[in-house]
Amino acid sequence: MAFQAQPRAHAHAHAIILPFPTQGHIIPALKFAETLTSQGFIITFVCAEHRIARIRKSHASGLSPRIRLIGLPDEVPVAEQDVDQGSDSLLLAIRIAENMAPAFEQTVNGLIEDAQKESSIPPPLCIISDFYVSWSQDTANKFKIPRYVFYPSPCSCLALMLYLPHLIEQGIVPLAPDARDIVIPGLPPMDGSDMPESWKQNSFMKERRDFSFRNLFKLHESSGILVNTFYELEGEAIDAASTEAINPNKVPIYALGPILPSKFFRGEPIDQQAFIQTDNECLQWLNAQAPSSVLFISFGSIAILSIRQIQEIAKALDACQQAFLWILRLPTSATDQSTLFPEGFLSRTHNRGLIISTWAPQLLILSHPSTGGFMSHCGWNSTLESISSGVPILPLPLFAEQHMNSRMVINQFKVGVKLQRGADGVAENENVEIAVMELMQGEEGRAARRRARALKEQAARAVSEAGSSHKALDAFIQAATITHTQT
Ligand code: UDP
């Protein structure tokens, strides 16, 4: 059984969780909060006020009573609060995250004072905070409680991030335009072109680079790093990230993923705890489709495709007669959906395609028997959700660590089919069509599906009672609660 509730000695342990304020970070953090409550913890979940308001609304009854939500003033005008829409949203999220520091400190102080006044809630024994809110390390130091980093990306990426001080020292980062084989001890060479845009020389993203470096250096000061991955998927990277060459302070790495609802792994119906209201009609549409026949297309919570890329995908779908479910966020420059597509596209695909522009219950879609493939930006949550559902991937990475994830999907995990793109990054319709057909009906697609299904089994085993992720969770809880007893 996966991460099941059990009576524990640490039934009164209290932890604070502080995610970075975008959906790709909040969703796994909230799921991890649920995991810890099933192990007897009380969780104080802290984030920007408008994000907490959304969680309250969408989780009205579904959230464990052992999770307390606290919203911090974010001073973001209402019109700008949708941090996950639009390509500049990361900068806004960064501003929100940086602004939360003083109020967070007051909150921690308040929680400690309340506990001293014999409140029924004990003092927090640790802060579990996203790697992108590393100022919380100073808060943790101030109150003499350990900080554990929550890392919702792959461990290969973590190894690279931990190794960053060496790469800077060696003059490799900022990256030269032709940087190719970046050597991280214990791992296959990484391609410079896959690295975050802000790490490159002359990058116009200076604000992002400073933000990223500031946060990554702090990884080395934490008491442990909780990674949303599992040993059977990324054993080599987990071992490498634990070595002195990369991790000189020997910060413990806990690979305890995939962080998904335990019911999901038990094959029980899940009430997808969506971050915002979901469109469940698409599930009914999926019910009417043949097994493994539908291509699911979605690019996460932040990315918006260019109009040209949308048109190339549409032309390919039109030509290859493939059934599809497409979560499409309108580019800001497009006025309405119908003007985006080739003439007659919507009527021609009406019987075999569904396009929705609202938030979709992605995990339910991926685990639906009709879903046979996933065209994805390879955000790490999406990648893990696809693997955990046994669905092969057609990667179309856009930014951040998505290029690295995409390469792993193809070369290392072998659960994907490669999509050829032009020098401008756009995948032309002929190439999209070839890749879609290969994924859904070709031999490569069948091999990727077999491998994805095998990894799905391994993921379920990893989080089961004797599995690697379950053991890592136990080790983390033991470390956190022992530290607590000693302070
Ligand atoms: N997601 C969802 N419905 C949507 C879009 C996204 O449930 O319509 C979820 C998805 O299942 C995943 C997360 O949002 O858990 C996106 O995280 P990911 O790391 O894949 O990408 P990001 O949004 O951070 O780019």
Side-chain angles (χ1 to χ4, degrees):
M1 283 185 296
F3 293 161
Q4 280 268 278
Q6 295 161 23
R8 300 266 171 166
H10 45 260
H12 292 294
H14 172 200
I16 301 173
I17 298 189
L18 174 70
F20 182 69
T22 61
Q23 278 150 244
H25 292 241
I26 295 175
I27 291 170
L30 205 48
K31 285 177 186 149
F32 187 59
E34 290 280 6
T35 301
L36 284 182
T37 58
S38 75
Q39 303 292 306
F41 274 64
I42 298 164
I43 300 295
T44 301
F45 194 90
V46 186
C47 198
E49 183 69 66
H50 71 278
R51 296 269 123 179
I52 292 291
R54 258 195 186 178
I55 297 173
R56 282 211 175 93
K57 202 167 149 208
S58 59
H59 285 72
S61 57
L63 213 57
S64 159
R66 297 180 75 86
I67 300 179
R68 291 188 310 166
L69 300 173
I70 296 190
L72 303 180
D74 43 44
E75 289 163 27
V76 178
V78 175
E80 287 184 53
Q81 286 184 2
D82 223 351
V83 292
D84 298 307
Q85 306 292 331
S87 54
D88 282 331
S89 62
L90 263 183
L91 281 183
L92 180 61
I94 290 171
R95 281 213 305 280
I96 296 172
E98 302 280 78
N99 284 346
M100 292 191 298
F104 181 70
E105 190 175 312
Q106 279 170 19
T107 302
V108 177
N109 193 33
L111 292 170
I112 293 171
E113 280 180 6
D114 284 354
Q116 282 160 356
K117 284 186 230 140
E118 290 178 44
S119 129
S120 54
I121 298 182
L125 62 87
C126 63
I127 295 172
I128 301 168
S129 57
D130 197 279
F131 72 111
Y132 270 166
V133 280
S134 67
W135 46 255
S136 55
Q137 183 68 56
D138 299 333
T139 321
N141 295 348
K142 180 166 178 179
F143 293 103
K144 299 193 168 52
I145 48 179
R147 173 199 179 213
Y148 291 89
V149 175
F150 187 70
Y151 195 81
S153 292
C155 199
S156 317
C157 208
L158 173 66
L160 171 72
M161 305 291 164
L162 284 167
Y163 201 59
L164 178 66
H166 289 271
L167 296 175
I168 294 176
E169 211 173 270
Q170 293 162 22
I172 295 171
V173 171
L175 295 159
D178 57 353
R180 282 292 167 266
D181 288 349
I182 314 288
V183 178
I184 314 290
L187 284 177
M190 294 186 185
D191 196 314
S193 64
D194 288 349
M195 310 248 154
E197 201 51 45
S198 68
W199 286 27
K200 297 181 179 160
Q201 278 173 15
N202 307 324
S203 166
F204 62 93
M205 298 174 171
K206 188 171 170 346
E207 193 182 337
R208 267 190 222 178
R209 173 153 79 211
D210 293 348
F211 171 77
S212 161
F213 286 8
R214 200 166 52 245
N215 282 290
L216 298 178
F217 290 150
K218 287 271 190 194
L219 287 169
H220 294 277
E221 293 177 34
S222 66
S223 299
I225 305 177
L226 314 178
V227 195
N228 190 9
T229 192
F230 57 107
Y231 195 82
E232 292 72 9
L233 187 70
E234 280 205 280
E236 191 182 31
I238 295 164
D239 290 341
S242 310
T243 59
E244 218 166 312
I246 291 183
N247 182 352
N249 295 350
K250 289 278 191 179
V251 176
I253 309 286
Y254 302 99
L256 36 68
I259 302 173
L260 293 172
S262 51
K263 277 185 179 175
F264 170 82
F265 290 110
R266 296 199 299 269
E268 294 170 15
I270 48 166
D271 164 22
Q272 184 170 3
Q273 297 186 342
F275 189 53
I276 39 187
Q277 298 295 305
T278 59
D279 177 338
N280 288 329
E281 267 173 43
C282 63
L283 298 173
Q284 271 142 36
W285 182 85
L286 276 175
N287 288 342
Q289 310 303 316
S292 301
S293 67
V294 175
L295 175 70
F296 175 47
I297 308 174
S298 180
F299 299 93
S301 62
I302 299 175
I304 296 184
L305 291 184
S306 66
I307 294 185
R308 185 156 157 239
Q309 187 62 81
I310 291 172
Q311 289 171 340
E312 295 298 323
I313 294 174
K315 280 187 215 155
L317 293 172
D318 207 352
C320 70
Q321 302 292 314
Q322 173 58 50
F324 63 91
L325 169 53
W326 189 351
I327 315 301
L328 180 60
R329 240 178 289 280
L330 274 192
T332 33
S333 52
T335 43
D336 80 281
Q337 226 182 57
S338 59
T339 59
L340 275 177
F341 300 121
E343 178 104 40
F345 169 77
L346 290 175
S347 54
R348 280 196 299 280
T349 56
H350 178 249
N351 287 333
R352 61 181 165 87
L354 182 66
I355 300 178
I356 54 179
S357 53
T358 50
W359 188 253
Q362 180 166 303
L363 193 54
L364 293 179
I365 294 172
L366 282 169
S367 54
H368 194 287
S370 300
T371 303
F374 184 19
M375 185 190 291
S376 167
H377 69 316
C378 287
W380 187 241
N381 293 299
S382 296
T383 305
L384 268 187
E385 287 164 11
S386 203
I387 286 174
S388 305
S389 305
V391 172
I393 302 173
L394 190 62
L396 185 54
L398 299 163
F399 57 81
E401 96 288 9
Q402 294 158 16
H403 296 278
M404 287 176 61
N405 298 349
S406 156
R407 204 179 282 272
M408 288 194 290
V409 160
I410 304 281
N411 297 341
Q412 194 179 323
F413 309 152
K414 300 192 190 310
V415 295
V417 165
K418 196 167 165 32
L419 172 57
Q420 292 297 341
R421 297 164 81 167
D424 57 359
V426 174
E428 307 268 351
N429 67 80
E430 295 89 351
N431 289 331
V432 176
E433 189 184 339
I434 291 169
V436 166
M437 294 312 287
E438 187 56 54
L439 181 79
M440 300 303 288
Q441 293 173 28
E443 189 38 54
E444 264 184 66
R446 270 191 288 280
R449 188 165 298 112
R450 278 197 297 275
R451 173 82 181 132
R453 287 181 178 161
L455 280 174
K456 170 186 168 176
E457 301 299 319
Q458 292 185 11
R461 265 202 300 280
V463 296
S464 70
E465 197 75 41
S468 58
S469 295
H470 204 294
K471 285 185 189 151
L473 177 71
D474 274 348
F476 156 66
I477 291 176
Q478 207 183 4
T481 46
I482 283 173
T483 316
H484 177 58
T485 332
Q486 285 170 347
T487 50

